[in-house]
Amino acid sequence: MSHELTDKQKKALAFFDSRLNSKLITHLISCVHCGLCGTSCAYYITEERPENLPAHKVDIVARIYRRYHTFAGKHFPQLTGAHDLDDELTTEMIDSLFGRCTMCGRCVAHCSIGVDIPFVVRTGRMMLQQMGLVPKSIQSTVDAAINTGNNMAIPKQDFIDTINWLNDDLQFELDDDTVTIPLDKHDVKMLYTVNPREPKFFPLSISAMAKIFYLAKESWTLSTDYYDITNYAYFVGDEEGAKLLTERLINETLKFGADTLVLGECGHGSRAMRWEGPNWLGKPYPVKAITVVELIAQYLREGRIKPDPAKLIKERVTIHDPCNLVRNGGVIDEQRYIISQCCTDFVEMEPHGIDNFCCGGGGGQLAMSEYNDRRLRIGKIKADQITATGAKIVVTPCHNCVDQLSGINLEYKLGVQIKSIAEIVADTL
Amino acid sequence: MTIYHWILLAAIFFCIAACFMWFIKLMQRRVKDYAEAKGSDIDGVEYSCTKAMLPNHKESAYKHLPTYTAGIIFHIGLFTSFILLLLQLIIPEFLNSPPLGDKYRIAIKAMSLAREFSSGREWQDWLRLILGLCLCVSSCCGIAILAKRFMNKTLKDLSNLDDYISNMLVTLFQIASACAMLFPLWAPSKPMLFIVATILFLYIPFGKLRHFIYFFAARIHLGIFFGSRGVWSMKNKKK
């Protein structure tokens, strides 16, 4: 006998039904509960608890599927572990799907079957979003992005002031009064986007990129209205919100007459815009979307920017691969090419590339203060990886990763510098 | 044809019909991806179904070699049992006793060497013995995997009744198949095999054993995902 569903639960189930396509059904049914995925998950490696097992996270959502969509689940729920969507299960969903998964996808390639675990986790998050059960902290980030145009609610004038200050600084550095960081400039080739953490906490990464654009003689602009590459709506499973944020950037690109949207150094933002956005809009983009990492690599290959041999970084450098950009986005070799051009002593972490471990800040974890302890605990894996390289500088093309790595740096006393790709490149120009 | 044959055939038909329905369901609910591909989804699917499944590419294999090996042997045993069951259905006299007739002459000839060393035993006896012993090993693997599910706390917590039943049914099927191979003159061996197989085929559509269809769908979806994003195709080029 199933329990009486609340209106919100009915809404979540109706939404779930609407999402049941070939891919979702496949991944909900395929898991064989072998439990071998545990050793690929940062949470389970850190703490061998059943609820940290990736298969467990899939099973929470699969239990709902079995309960409402399979014969055995409807009539003999205990046989297949089918479960009603009730308060007990939603509490477990919040804790496991939001609090115990960065959706990094490392478990996917190592799964004995090939279950797309983060895809299922995100579906579970979508259901929670339908029920209004998204953790408040990350929901406020989404609300800020939707209501103010950027997830940190930076007032427009503050952003303009920051850019103007950076502009003056850049003119001084390059000893050229004609250098500008263009704002709302029309008839340009590219619209550049940034993570709002940059104007707020790491403004020098914006001037670093401006320097690269200037030396590459690029035609570009920043928008003062919509410059935020992040898309936390993607993480909370808010499809409408994610679509709105995507539309804004595409429309903004068209507004300035640009044909290319440059996705700033943000892993999930790049993934959301590059790979998920067209599906939210239900059509291909009318403009090209390219990550800034690919763009810088292209500049270097074309000789549009040339590192000064005297300024090459001599300290040992390692790369942290952001999961959404690398494993889930296919930007794998470009950052390595860039580093090979700018640094003399580069060493890889083990494992690296598409097999890389998440820093711990993915999946919206940085925006969920409720789970700070867990986030820093799983960061120990990354801390150990960094220590093993002996590197003095950790480069990562993602500002969320920069934030988490900075936290790890302090927590585990690593004594390393954390830099973005643009910063490393700009230092050598 | 005994009553066991007919019941088993009905169960197989039921199972195939259910599989066909899932297949139709999966095909009807395909979703178009509007993102501009960076790599090739065909490359990705190819990689997903080949190199990506090699034990040295998956932590679930190389970090858990005993379990992985047991799992592989268990599955080989299952497929072998299916083939043997099918052959026994199609050719009731299969492996029973010589002669099998002219059309099996090539196979008989191929086994003639073995016969010379067999101190008078027919090659069918040897083949039955080998298959039976191999199925004993694969059944032991099934029992070991089941024991692990009972004893490992994380795994136990994750498991539901279906996990245990599925494992037990498949293991029983292999044991019954082994019995049919090892003790062909024991009267209950064949009915026992057919009854267990009937239960197995009837159960497949309701539990986790469905993964024998969805496994391939999962590999294809995964290949499309990583292939179109240029993740697995790039790795493919490197290796």
Side-chain angles (χ1 to χ4, degrees):
Chain A
M1 184 82 179
S2 77
H3 88 297
E4 186 90 12
L5 291 166
T6 65
D7 288 345
K8 284 184 176 178
Q9 287 163 350
K10 282 179 189 164
K11 188 182 169 200
L13 285 175
F15 177 82
F16 185 55
D17 291 357
S18 73
R19 305 290 302 182
L20 284 173
N21 56 35
S22 170
K23 183 176 175 181
L24 183 57
I25 293 171
T26 296
H27 292 304
L28 285 170
I29 290 179
S30 302
C31 180
V32 293
H33 295 173
C34 69
L36 302 182
C37 47
T39 44
S40 302
C41 173
Y43 280 94
Y44 190 79
I45 293 169
T46 305
E47 213 175 348
E48 287 190 16
R49 296 164 62 124
E51 57 268 41
N52 282 343
L53 198 68
H56 176 83
K57 297 161 200 171
V58 169
D59 199 51
I60 293 175
V61 185
R63 273 186 256 165
I64 301 169
Y65 174 77
R66 293 195 289 263
R67 183 71 181 98
Y68 299 101
H69 294 275
T70 67
F71 177 84
K74 281 176 188 170
H75 301 285
F76 313 101
Q78 283 172 336
L79 173 69
T80 58
H83 203 292
D84 284 326
L85 180 63
D86 56 16
D87 292 344
E88 181 199 355
L89 191 68
T90 48
T91 304
E92 195 181 349
M93 283 171 82
I94 296 167
D95 182 70
S96 286
L97 306 184
F98 276 108
R100 297 183 188 277
C101 182
T102 63
M103 293 161 68
C104 72
R106 189 170 189 276
C107 49
V108 179
H110 290 296
C111 169
S112 55
I113 296 286
V115 179
D116 192 340
I117 294 154
F119 176 69
V120 177
V121 166
R122 206 173 91 78
T123 304
R125 287 187 178 194
M126 285 179 192
M127 294 177 73
L128 290 169
Q129 196 271 339
Q130 291 290 317
M131 291 185 276
L133 293 174
V134 172
K136 286 189 174 61
S137 48
I138 192 169
Q139 185 59 53
S140 66
T141 308
V142 177
D143 294 342
I146 289 172
N147 298 329
T148 70
N150 70 85
N151 75 35
M152 303 204 91
I154 301 169
K156 183 172 178 174
Q157 193 53 49
D158 285 7
F159 179 69
I160 294 170
D161 291 345
T162 302
I163 297 299
N164 287 339
W165 161 66
L166 290 170
N167 200 51
D168 294 343
D169 211 39
L170 193 62
Q171 286 180 352
F172 178 76
E173 184 191 341
L174 296 171
D175 196 19
D176 183 348
D177 289 347
T178 64
V179 181
T180 55
I181 300 180
L183 287 174
D184 296 337
K185 190 177 170 186
H186 284 261
D187 300 323
V188 290
K189 183 170 170 42
M190 295 179 178
L191 174 70
Y192 180 56
T193 55
V194 298
N195 185 319
R197 286 174 194 276
E198 295 180 71
K200 191 94 171 174
F201 303 121
F202 308 102
L204 294 181
S205 70
I206 299 179
S207 52
M209 197 56 217
K211 183 179 173 183
I212 293 169
F213 276 134
Y214 167 74
L215 293 172
K217 298 184 173 55
E218 191 57 84
S219 161
W220 69 291
T221 189
L222 274 169
S223 163
T224 54
D225 289 322
Y226 301 121
Y227 52 82
D228 182 358
I229 176 64
T230 70
N231 195 327
Y232 279 87
Y234 167 71
F235 282 142
V236 303
D238 176 1
E239 296 288 272
E240 285 305 310
K243 182 183 174 185
L244 174 71
L245 298 177
T246 304
E247 266 172 348
R248 281 178 180 170
L249 288 185
I250 295 298
N251 292 340
E252 206 69 353
T253 311
L254 294 171
K255 186 174 99 181
F256 294 113
D259 64 9
T260 305
L261 175 65
V262 182
L263 312 172
E265 293 190 60
C266 174
H268 87 270
S270 295
R271 175 190 179 164
M273 279 306 294
R274 174 67 179 84
W275 295 105
E276 318 297 343
N279 296 315
W280 290 321
L281 301 185
K283 59 185 178 187
Y285 288 153
V287 296
K288 188 179 177 188
I290 184 174
T291 66
V292 71
V293 180
E294 291 167 300
L295 186 67
I296 294 173
Q298 188 185 317
Y299 288 159
L300 283 165
R301 285 197 176 97
E302 292 171 353
R304 290 174 69 177
I305 53 172
K306 288 176 187 162
D308 180 347
K311 290 183 179 176
L312 294 183
I313 312 290
K314 307 246 176 350
E315 290 167 293
R316 176 167 286 186
V317 174
T318 190
I319 290 177
H320 163 68
D321 290 297
C323 310
N324 282 309
L325 191 72
V326 180
R327 182 163 40 243
N328 296 300
V331 180
I332 303 163
D333 294 332
E334 287 85 346
Q335 57 272 41
R336 289 173 167 75
Y337 172 71
I338 294 168
I339 295 302
S340 72
Q341 298 296 300
C342 302
C343 307
T344 57
D345 186 7
F346 166 61
V347 61
E348 290 278 19
M349 286 185 200
E350 288 304 334
H352 61 269
I354 61 171
D355 209 20
N356 156 61
F357 273 104
C358 177
C359 59
Q365 295 302 328
L366 269 171
M368 292 186 278
S369 49
E370 301 92 322
Y371 307 120
N372 275 350
D373 287 350
R374 292 180 194 172
R375 173 171 61 80
L376 286 170
R377 269 208 303 275
I378 66 164
K380 174 79 164 55
I381 295 172
K382 185 56 60 182
D384 291 343
Q385 275 188 290
I386 293 169
T387 304
T389 63
K392 295 291 172 208
I393 300 173
V394 181
V395 182
T396 187
C398 169
H399 280 279
N400 279 1
C401 294
V402 166
D403 241 23
Q404 167 73 351
L405 291 173
S406 301
I408 291 172
N409 198 13
L410 282 175
E411 178 78 10
Y412 298 103
K413 300 179 176 55
L414 302 179
V416 295
Q417 288 181 66
I418 317 290
K419 291 199 169 196
S420 69
I421 287 277
E423 286 170 336
I424 278 283
V425 175
D427 284 350
T428 64
L429 298 176
Chain B
M1 293 277 270
T2 64
I3 183 74
Y4 301 113
H5 281 85
W6 289 111
I7 294 173
L8 176 57
L9 282 172
I12 291 173
F13 177 77
F14 171 74
C15 184
I16 290 172
C19 295
F20 186 69
M21 275 170 55
W22 302 330
F23 181 72
I24 296 291
K25 204 172 172 183
L26 286 180
M27 294 305 286
Q28 282 174 338
R29 299 195 185 190
R30 282 183 300 173
V31 178
K32 185 172 167 53
D33 186 356
Y34 291 100
E36 188 191 348
K38 185 177 180 182
S40 155
D41 48 8
I42 294 170
D43 270 8
V45 172
E46 187 190 335
Y47 181 81
S48 174
C49 296
T50 53
K51 281 186 183 173
M53 302 215 314
L54 293 175
N56 59 333
H57 281 64
K58 291 200 295 189
E59 284 181 356
S60 56
Y62 64 76
K63 281 192 174 177
H64 305 271
L65 268 180
T67 306
Y68 173 77
T69 310
I72 292 291
I73 294 171
F74 185 50
H75 280 80
I76 291 173
L78 174 62
F79 293 128
T80 307
S81 299
F82 274 137
I83 293 167
L84 289 173
L85 181 75
L86 205 64
L87 288 170
Q88 287 174 86
L89 273 175
I90 299 167
I91 316 163
E93 72 274 24
F94 173 72
L95 289 183
N96 271 0
S97 60
L100 289 175
D102 286 351
K103 58 183 175 179
Y104 306 115
R105 195 172 288 159
I106 297 169
I108 292 169
K109 200 172 177 182
M111 296 303 291
S112 62
L113 190 65
R115 193 192 294 182
E116 284 177 26
F117 294 98
S118 68
S119 62
R121 296 188 81 165
E122 296 298 337
W123 69 270
Q124 289 94 336
D125 294 336
W126 283 105
L127 187 56
R128 260 200 304 260
L129 182 67
I130 292 165
L131 285 170
L133 290 175
C134 288
L135 287 172
C136 285
V137 173
S138 65
S139 303
C140 288
C141 289
I143 293 166
I145 293 168
L146 186 64
K148 185 184 174 187
R149 193 173 286 286
F150 272 113
M151 284 161 20
N152 182 296
K153 189 189 173 303
T154 303
L155 213 48
K156 198 172 178 181
D157 189 82
L158 179 68
S159 305
N160 53 51
L161 200 53
D162 175 40
D163 292 314
Y164 297 102
I165 292 174
S166 299
N167 182 307
M168 282 190 255
L169 268 179
V170 174
T171 307
L172 273 177
F173 177 51
Q174 294 184 44
I175 290 172
S177 194
C179 285
M181 289 296 112
L182 294 173
F183 314 111
L185 299 177
W186 183 44
S189 69
K190 237 178 187 175
M192 188 176 78
L193 171 64
F194 284 11
I195 290 168
V196 173
T198 301
I199 297 169
L200 179 64
F201 279 112
L202 289 175
Y203 187 75
I204 283 173
F206 300 106
K208 74 182 251 187
L209 294 174
R210 287 180 292 180
H211 77 264
F212 87 95
I213 289 277
Y214 287 96
F215 168 77
F216 298 101
R219 297 309 306 180
I220 290 169
H221 281 298
L222 211 60
I224 292 170
F225 179 86
F226 284 128
S228 64
R229 296 183 182 204
V231 177
W232 270 358
S233 53
M234 286 173 87
K235 191 172 179 182
N236 218 358
K237 281 176 204 161
K238 278 184 185 174
K239 294 278 174 181

